[in-house]
Amino acid sequence: MMNKRIVIVLLWCASCSTPGVVIDRPIEFDEQRIELTQEYLKQRYNLEQDSPEIVPKMIVLHWTAIPTLEKSFAAFEKSTLPNWRPDIKSVSGLNVSAHFLVDQDGTIYRLMPETTMARHVIGLNHCAIGIENVGGTKETPLTRKQLRANVWLVDYLAEKYAIEYVIGHHEYTRFEDHPLWLEVDSTYRTKKTDPGKKFMKRVRKATKKHNFKPVPKK
């Protein structure tokens, strides 16, 4: 089980001018979550594994549509889905989560190891690192500080892993005919708008040095 201590970690990104500060704030990852994650990999992707590990090839950016850090963290913390997510509970009882959570002031929290599967994007969880941003509503739009934090994270992750794609959650269905797409149910989709075209355009412009592959066209 992950230790719930909050640990501040200095991470150096060679292409960045300053080190990044990442605060480790683990969500619950008990035996139940491990079992549900492995079950998800098997049932949704036909991947039978001894552990819930992934090989990251993609970064997916999101917003939580929740106005505060604490409420956003609480949405991901428990192992099983809360009652307010009946739209996806019938598919799996595994709670949604992400690897990183970025507060409105740009503070970066790591919720779980980067190579453990998180449930955050249909069809692609087996190869995707998820970055959630607090807010995204009309009252709490994403901030410049969040943009800078996302750019830093993309730089950091691209130097650590063989990342091929950086996408917004709203672009995930464009991978339906791609080799990375493994979802077995052709009817299991949810409509997404996060984190918005403008935010993605800015992230892509700031990280173009990595030469990520373009998102497939439908």
Side-chain angles (χ1 to χ4, degrees):
M1 184 184 299
M2 286 189 185
N3 193 318
K4 288 198 173 185
R5 293 181 304 168
I6 296 177
V7 180
I8 297 176
V9 182
L10 290 175
L11 297 177
W12 178 255
C13 171
S15 67
C16 304
S17 59
T18 58
V21 177
V22 174
I23 300 175
D24 278 333
R25 187 177 179 181
I27 55 175
E28 184 176 89
F29 219 94
D30 54 11
E31 289 301 320
Q32 183 181 30
R33 198 169 203 146
I34 293 172
E35 183 177 326
L36 286 171
T37 304
Q38 290 179 244
E39 182 182 271
Y40 190 100
L41 285 163
K42 181 179 180 180
Q43 294 183 353
R44 309 317 309 171
Y45 304 144
N46 288 321
L47 295 175
E48 193 160 358
Q49 301 182 184
D50 294 330
S51 67
E53 292 184 6
I54 67 170
V55 177
K57 297 180 180 179
M58 173 184 295
I59 300 168
V60 184
L61 308 186
H62 306 255
W63 63 39
T64 67
I66 299 172
T68 68
L69 171 69
E70 293 307 319
K71 288 182 179 179
S72 295
F73 180 82
F76 306 131
E77 184 178 17
K78 298 302 179 182
S79 298
T80 56
L81 275 171
N83 292 331
W84 53 270
R85 292 304 307 266
D87 56 325
I88 59 174
K89 194 166 187 177
S90 61
V91 174
S92 171
L94 175 66
N95 197 10
V96 294
S97 57
H99 300 85
F100 296 92
L101 179 61
V102 181
D103 200 0
Q104 292 247 299
D105 66 359
T107 305
I108 301 170
Y109 296 87
R110 180 162 44 199
L111 307 186
M112 56 188 291
E114 297 148 16
T115 55
T116 297
M117 196 208 89
R119 183 183 185 183
H120 62 100
V121 57
I122 293 171
L124 301 164
N125 291 309
H126 67 96
C127 64
I129 292 175
I131 300 174
E132 286 277 1
N133 291 275
V134 174
T137 65
K138 184 177 180 181
E139 294 74 24
T140 56
L142 301 188
T143 68
R144 290 179 180 272
K145 290 181 178 179
Q146 283 175 306
L147 175 63
R148 288 196 292 270
N150 278 249
V151 169
W152 185 89
L153 268 174
V154 169
D155 282 339
Y156 162 70
L157 293 169
E159 292 191 358
K160 192 173 182 182
Y161 304 104
I163 300 297
E164 298 177 13
Y165 297 94
V166 174
I167 73 169
H169 197 189
H170 62 283
E171 298 172 312
Y172 83 96
T173 56
R174 290 166 64 176
F175 283 83
E176 287 177 343
D177 296 321
H178 191 279
L180 288 178
W181 182 269
L182 295 185
E183 173 56 47
V184 298
D185 185 350
S186 63
T187 67
Y188 176 42
R189 306 289 187 273
T190 54
K191 188 175 181 179
K192 298 296 179 181
T193 59
D194 58 314
K197 293 180 181 180
K198 190 175 183 179
F199 191 85
M200 286 307 304
K201 183 178 181 180
R202 290 174 173 174
V203 171
R204 288 191 170 114
K205 183 178 180 180
T207 60
K208 62 182 179 180
K209 60 182 175 289
H210 298 293
N211 295 313
F212 297 122
K213 295 179 181 179
V215 176
K217 295 181 179 179
K218 294 207 74 173

